[in-house]
Amino acid sequence: MSRPGRDDSPDRLYTLTGGRTRSAPDSPFDLVTLVVAESDPRPGMQSEHATILRIAQLPVAVVELAAELRLPVSITKVLLSDLLAAGRVSARHPKKAAVIDPDVLEQVLVGLRNL
């Protein structure tokens, strides 16, 4: 069984990213970063860039984009960096969960044990 992105020719991946193997050090992208398209695909765009813009009409995580594109996450991050630099996508991290009071958790645990 083949894994997505693993059987791709290294030449193809090299061509997709213009030889880059990593996104910029200040890249905001990690696996759970949410990406949203800020424009529609345009004629003449690289097909992977156009696909990202179509998929990201609603917020989507980087890891989901990589799976849809069947590309390694590292390559997907490079493509996303290109789109971010061009202003075609925006990126944000999901909201962090509120910190819950440990006393509340203790009360919930006691309540569950009493069931």
Side-chain angles (χ1 to χ4, degrees):
M1 179 173 176
S2 67
R3 296 188 305 185
R6 296 292 179 175
D7 297 329
D8 288 334
S9 163
D11 294 340
R12 176 178 176 263
L13 298 178
Y14 182 88
T15 304
L16 284 178
T17 63
R20 294 168 291 155
T21 57
R22 297 176 195 215
S23 54
D26 60 341
S27 172
F29 300 109
D30 61 21
L31 294 178
V32 296
T33 303
L34 296 175
V35 177
V36 180
E38 297 294 337
S39 69
D40 292 326
R42 300 218 170 121
M45 286 183 88
Q46 185 173 332
S47 63
E48 289 77 12
H49 286 152
T51 302
I52 289 170
L53 293 177
R54 280 193 291 278
I55 295 170
Q57 292 299 313
L58 296 173
V60 61
V62 170
V63 71
E64 292 177 76
L65 280 170
E68 285 288 324
L69 293 169
R70 299 183 58 88
L71 291 172
V73 173
S74 59
I75 301 299
T76 303
K77 287 181 184 181
V78 172
L79 297 172
L80 287 169
S81 293
D82 294 343
L83 290 170
L84 183 66
R88 298 189 188 277
V89 296
S90 59
R92 68 174 175 83
H93 287 278
K95 293 181 180 175
K96 292 184 180 182
V99 178
I100 298 176
D101 182 12
D103 293 331
V104 173
L105 291 176
E106 181 72 30
Q107 291 172 1
V108 169
L109 184 59
V110 168
L112 289 173
R113 285 183 182 152
N114 290 335
L115 290 176

